[in-house]
Amino acid sequence: MIPQEKLAELSKFLEQDKDRIEKELGVLKNDEFGDAPGMDNEEADETEEMSNTLTTVQVLERRLIDIKDALARIAAGTYGFCIRCHEAISLELLEADPESSLCKNCKAV
């Protein structure tokens, strides 16, 4: 069982991280590429930059989903238990990866 004060700390961290990621996604998704036609090298650079941005957006969107799931588990009272084997997730793991939904053993599988 996670002590209430530690649960509040983890919840606050998750909320702050959620807000930060939502803002970052808003900025990344509003970037405009290809404003004006230019030289081939410029277009290649823009294409590479856009590809990198899209990859970053995908990673952040996945992380945001994990954070929202963790916050939902906190609200439901199921946070800190593995969604696969239903055993407790170590506090050490939750402090390192607060949005974790799997225990150390299930992560290894």
Side-chain angles (χ1 to χ4, degrees):
M1 185 91 186
I2 301 171
Q4 195 62 33
E5 133 185 337
K6 182 54 76 172
L7 187 61
E9 182 183 312
L10 291 167
S11 180
K12 181 179 178 183
F13 175 82
L14 287 165
E15 285 288 350
Q16 290 172 341
D17 214 21
K18 179 179 84 71
D19 292 344
R20 180 190 61 78
I21 290 172
E22 287 174 339
K23 286 177 187 171
E24 191 171 343
L25 282 170
V27 169
L28 289 171
K29 287 181 175 182
N30 286 326
D31 276 349
E32 292 184 18
F33 295 94
D35 293 336
M39 298 176 65
D40 287 342
N41 287 343
E42 290 175 14
E43 290 175 12
D45 288 345
E46 278 191 5
T47 300
E48 182 178 352
E49 184 180 343
M50 186 175 190
S51 176
N52 291 339
T53 298
L54 290 175
T55 300
T56 301
V57 165
Q58 290 173 335
V59 168
L60 289 174
E61 285 177 337
R62 178 70 246 168
R63 183 127 190 264
L64 186 58
I65 289 168
D66 291 343
I67 289 170
K68 287 180 177 180
D69 287 348
L71 290 168
R73 288 192 308 277
I74 289 172
T78 60
Y79 181 77
F81 293 94
C82 180
I83 62 171
R84 189 175 293 154
C85 72
H86 307 288
E87 294 295 322
I89 300 172
S90 72
L91 187 54
E92 179 181 84
L93 176 59
L94 290 172
E95 288 175 332
D97 184 15
E99 63 268 20
S100 184
S101 62
L102 298 174
C103 67
K104 186 177 178 181
N105 290 335
C106 288
K107 279 183 182 267
V109 175

